[in-house]
Amino acid sequence: MEKTLVILKPDAVKRAMVGEIIKRFESVGLKIVASKMLVVNDDLATKHYPKDRKEFITGMGKKTLENYKEMGVNPHDEMGTDDPHKIGLAIREWLVKYITSGPVLAIVLEGPHAVELVRKIVGHTLPLKAAPGTIRGDLAFDSSYLANTVKRAIKNLVHASGSVEEAKFEIALWFKPEDICSYKRVDEDEMIK
Ligand code: ADP
Ligand code: MG
């Protein structure tokens, strides 16, 4: 059993996709054990997307460079550098603006392999690359190219914890232990035993 954090980002809320998205997690068998709607402040956004998490920042930069390469875009023209860490830091600024731009719905989901399962259902970071059947693939079309030309984060509807460690850190950041509920789904035994 694992728990994972999902955030329905401001575009999901504003596009009235909340029901559509939650339905997909419930249908696969995941259990909602906590949820709240809030407008994220800079403090929470900064802690959620920490500047000093080097592999996260550089990872975003690397994904962006791969996307630029495929599209024949020169990173120097777009971002003024080809250093993945510098690109990652610039993206992080846009990300903080994006996540604080309107109400979000934060949810904790529980189930077997919850972290991996949720990532699969959510799909690739870039909606353009996300497979059909995934949330990002079915409900959005954004790309690094579209986003970066107007200097904004990729609108990909949801955040989902990337690993079990990330999930533990993020759940503790967003929820108090007493906010997490415990109950049994009626189909739980049928699906597991
Ligand atoms: P994921 O959300 O799939 O775990 P990351 O953790 O790498 O992806 O990135 C966090 C968020 O940053 C993404 O969901 C997306 O909104 C945004 N993002 C990532 N790469 C870029 C990029 N090249 N340009 C703009 N925004 C980006
Ligand atoms: Mg991530």
Side-chain angles (χ1 to χ4, degrees):
M1 282 293 166
E2 290 171 5
K3 287 189 183 71
T4 190
L5 181 78
V6 168
I7 302 164
L8 276 54
K9 293 176 176 177
D11 51 329
V13 173
K14 285 186 198 153
R15 290 180 59 203
M17 293 282 180
V18 169
E20 169 70 42
I21 292 169
I22 291 179
K23 178 177 154 277
R24 292 165 181 240
F25 297 125
E26 280 193 317
S27 304
V28 83
L30 287 161
K31 187 169 18 179
I32 300 170
V33 293
S35 85
K36 65 176 169 191
M37 184 174 251
L38 69 158
V39 178
V40 178
N41 60 27
D42 278 340
D43 180 51
L44 178 56
T46 302
K47 286 179 181 150
H48 181 76
Y49 293 127
K51 255 190 208 141
D52 52 10
R53 247 182 67 209
K54 215 168 171 212
E55 81 283 0
F56 158 65
I57 300 288
T58 308
M60 283 196 301
K62 281 187 185 153
K63 270 192 235 175
T64 306
L65 286 170
E66 278 165 28
N67 195 231
Y68 282 170
K69 204 171 167 189
E70 280 169 24
M71 299 183 109
V73 175
N74 182 342
H76 285 277
D77 295 343
E78 275 312 312
M79 302 292 291
T81 175
D82 62 2
D83 175 357
H85 189 249
K86 282 189 187 146
I87 293 175
L89 281 175
I91 293 169
R92 188 196 154 273
E93 296 285 318
W94 305 335
L95 203 43
V96 168
K97 262 193 210 144
Y98 170 36
I99 200 82
T100 57
S101 67
V104 303
L105 191 78
I107 303 167
V108 179
L109 294 169
E110 185 183 81
H113 314 292
V115 172
E116 188 182 343
L117 192 54
V118 165
R119 291 294 296 197
K120 181 186 73 173
I121 294 166
V122 165
H124 195 284
T125 304
L126 311 179
L128 179 66
K129 295 267 175 210
T134 63
I135 290 167
R136 289 165 171 174
D138 283 350
L139 307 176
F141 55 62
D142 209 6
S143 68
S144 308
Y145 187 72
L146 277 175
N148 297 176
T149 45
V150 291
K151 308 277 180 228
R152 62 161 174 80
I154 290 164
K155 293 185 185 177
N156 55 9
L157 299 161
V158 274
H159 164 83
S161 305
S163 66
V164 175
E165 293 68 44
E166 201 174 280
K168 282 189 184 140
F169 167 78
E170 291 178 350
I171 291 168
L173 184 62
W174 286 73
F175 289 92
K176 298 189 202 101
E178 62 267 31
D179 293 337
I180 316 281
C181 300
S182 174
Y183 64 99
K184 195 166 180 178
R185 271 181 64 145
V186 288
D187 53 359
E188 213 167 300
D189 285 344
E190 185 58 34
M191 290 183 86
I192 293 172
K193 285 184 182 160

